[in-house]
Amino acid sequence: MGKSREEEHRAFLDWLIETIDEHKVDALIVAGDIFDTGTPPNYALELYYTFLKRLCTTTCRTTIITAGNHDSIATLNAPKEILGLLDVHVVSSGEEDNSERIIKLYDNLGALAGVVCAVPFLRDGVVRKGVSGESHQEKEAALIEGMEDYYNEIADAAQEIIGKEPHIPVIATGHFTTVGGQTSDSEREIYIGSTMNIPSNFLAERFDYVALGHLHRSQKVGSGCDHVRYSGSPIPLSFSEAGNRKKVTIVGFDGAIPLVEEVEIPTFRNLYRIKGSKEEILDALKEIEDEEGWTEVEIIDDNTYAALQEIQEYADAHNLTLLAKKVTRSAASVGITELEIVDLDEITPLEMFMKRLELDDMEDEVLREKLITEFKTIENEVATA
Ligand SMILES: [Mn+2]
């Protein structure tokens, strides 16, 4: 939406350095999506390296960075050797040797205090040996099986390291969507062509704590189990996350038993989401006195052009920033059932195509299905090109 988040990132990293010292954190895990893009801008790289250097002045002795689906393996790997000197471990593809992807944590006296199985976002080819002509269901089953095998193998290797000392915790990381995880609008679909949900029971059984990345909402996974968690993103990444509390998770261990504490991250910029008629939106805007905040309005009005203009004028006069303006026309005014015009970056290509199909009263169901299948094929080709 043409706005930089640099200020918020900077404020968060400052806060994180302070929080690490305050809670005497020994090790930091960042479970992926270090960057939002494979080619991060220079300011973001500078923030990243400066942060890692500043960590050396805190209580944190070991840092583990695992790649997410947005990260480029090459970008993360480039400084890997020099970061190793700062005890920052970068694991990016999942194809690393055990000596690299299993990281030992030591206490002040140099005794082994924990083992981290650092697992990044696993690309399809790493967990599943592709066989052509498989059905969608077969592919999905093979992927889930491949993930389980991967985690079981690394868990076995970790058990060998701790030997007969069950009081040493074994921690794992991961980057994927689990069954039952709560998503928001802004996690891009990661397994192309499928809404892959990985069952996580096997994780809970094999590890003493699992730190997951990818979902933006801070949450634990599965009921009655406290030790498989998403920390969530440090700042909201879309207006759909406007009401979320952002957190970091601090985990202590009593033997191998995890003691979890959630620490709320301060809000560095407020996001507001307002939906309603022109009058309702204007009333809600009057309540906002925060000139630093960003607002999304969704208007329900038949004369949206005039209404939006009035809303924008109000915002300009009061130094409020409207970033997204959505329009919902009443069905009567457009003659079809529900036409929503939203920002292009909030709609997937397939959703757009489905909306286009809705405009045609297509009676031939077979043709309709065929068009959708063809569209998905083309989308896959483009996405994997
Ligand atoms: Mn991700």
Side-chain angles (χ1 to χ4, degrees):
M1 296 174 177
K3 290 281 181 187
S4 168
R5 312 298 299 272
E6 178 176 352
E7 227 179 290
E8 290 156 272
H9 285 138
R10 224 173 257 285
F12 165 68
L13 293 174
D14 287 346
W15 175 86
L16 188 58
I17 290 280
E18 275 172 33
T19 305
I20 283 169
D21 263 337
E22 195 180 311
H23 292 259
K24 299 192 169 51
V25 170
D26 299 299
L28 173 68
I29 294 175
V30 189
D33 290 342
I34 310 303
F35 301 108
D36 191 41
T37 150
T39 51
N42 285 334
Y43 91 79
L45 289 168
E46 185 237 295
L47 271 181
Y48 175 55
Y49 296 133
T50 307
F51 171 74
L52 293 177
K53 194 211 88 180
R54 286 173 73 196
L55 272 180
C56 298
T57 65
T58 69
T59 57
C60 178
R61 289 190 303 270
T62 310
T63 302
I64 293 149
I65 304 281
T66 56
N69 54 309
H70 289 195
D71 289 309
S72 142
I73 292 175
T75 303
L76 286 196
N77 275 354
K80 186 174 171 152
E81 295 296 319
I82 196 159
L83 290 180
L85 299 176
L86 303 178
D87 243 316
V88 175
H89 302 259
V90 177
V91 179
S92 50
S93 73
E95 294 181 293
E96 290 85 355
D97 291 340
N98 277 345
S99 61
E100 280 189 55
R101 57 178 195 162
I102 301 180
I103 293 135
K104 294 173 202 157
L105 306 176
Y106 297 96
D107 66 15
N108 290 331
L109 304 169
L112 186 65
V115 174
V116 179
C117 300
V119 182
F121 168 66
L122 297 172
R123 282 169 173 76
D124 202 72
V126 177
V127 282
R128 190 180 68 89
K129 303 300 160 219
V131 184
S132 59
E134 285 175 337
S135 74
H136 180 72
Q137 281 88 345
E138 283 166 341
K139 277 185 188 164
E140 196 167 287
L143 187 54
I144 291 172
E145 206 186 301
M147 292 278 282
E148 279 201 47
D149 289 350
Y150 187 99
Y151 275 97
N152 278 325
E153 197 187 305
I154 200 168
D156 289 343
Q159 286 301 327
E160 236 166 76
I161 291 170
I162 64 166
K164 291 192 171 32
E165 306 207 53
H167 62 279
I168 295 176
V170 177
I171 300 154
T173 73
H175 194 97
F176 50 79
T177 307
T178 48
V179 173
Q182 287 181 294
T183 59
S184 63
D185 284 353
S186 52
E187 295 102 359
R188 237 171 276 160
E189 199 160 290
I190 51 174
Y191 291 95
I192 303 295
S194 80
T195 48
M196 221 19 250
N197 262 337
I198 309 293
S200 57
N201 334 9
F202 67 95
L203 291 174
E205 285 162 20
R206 298 280 343 237
F207 300 98
D208 299 307
Y209 187 82
V210 184
L212 296 174
H214 187 58
L215 298 186
H216 299 171
R217 189 191 289 263
S218 170
Q219 58 193 288
K220 52 185 172 183
V221 175
S223 54
C225 132
D226 211 33
H227 67 285
V228 182
R229 282 172 180 261
Y230 289 91
S231 63
S233 63
I235 61 170
L237 293 164
S238 87
F239 281 101
S240 68
E241 295 168 45
N244 291 176
R245 301 224 154 120
K246 296 300 183 183
K247 294 165 186 169
V248 291
T249 314
I250 300 183
V251 189
F253 286 94
D254 178 6
I257 298 163
L259 309 163
V260 178
E261 185 186 353
E262 293 180 340
V263 178
E264 206 170 305
I265 302 167
T267 303
F268 304 109
R269 183 190 306 282
N270 290 311
L271 298 184
Y272 303 96
R273 216 178 189 194
I274 307 173
K275 182 177 177 175
S277 65
K278 183 185 81 179
E279 287 71 26
E280 284 166 334
I281 289 173
L282 285 170
D283 281 346
L285 284 178
K286 280 175 194 144
E287 299 288 309
I288 302 177
E289 285 168 356
D290 161 19
E291 292 182 5
E292 299 297 316
W294 291 340
T295 303
E296 175 192 80
V297 296
E298 181 172 351
I299 187 166
I300 306 163
D301 195 301
D302 288 344
N303 187 0
T304 47
Y305 182 76
L308 277 178
Q309 206 166 12
E310 198 174 320
I311 289 167
Q312 186 64 59
E313 276 164 16
Y314 179 87
D316 290 345
H318 294 81
N319 291 323
L320 301 176
T321 307
L322 301 186
L323 276 194
K325 284 172 275 187
K326 295 180 171 182
V327 170
T328 306
R329 289 193 179 88
S330 65
S333 76
V334 285
I336 59 161
T337 48
E338 194 191 354
L339 171 66
E340 268 186 73
I341 300 165
V342 295
D343 283 309
L344 271 182
D345 57 4
E346 295 197 12
I347 190 166
T348 66
L350 182 62
E351 283 168 349
M352 179 65 93
F353 187 67
M354 298 296 278
K355 280 180 187 295
R356 175 63 188 81
L357 283 180
E358 276 170 28
L359 294 177
D360 286 299
D361 261 336
M362 205 176 288
E363 281 172 7
D364 188 344
E365 259 308 303
V366 179
L367 175 63
R368 194 172 171 277
E369 283 302 315
K370 192 162 188 300
L371 281 170
I372 294 169
T373 310
E374 290 292 324
F375 185 86
K376 285 181 180 169
T377 309
I378 293 166
E379 204 190 352
N380 277 351
E381 278 170 19
V382 173
T384 52

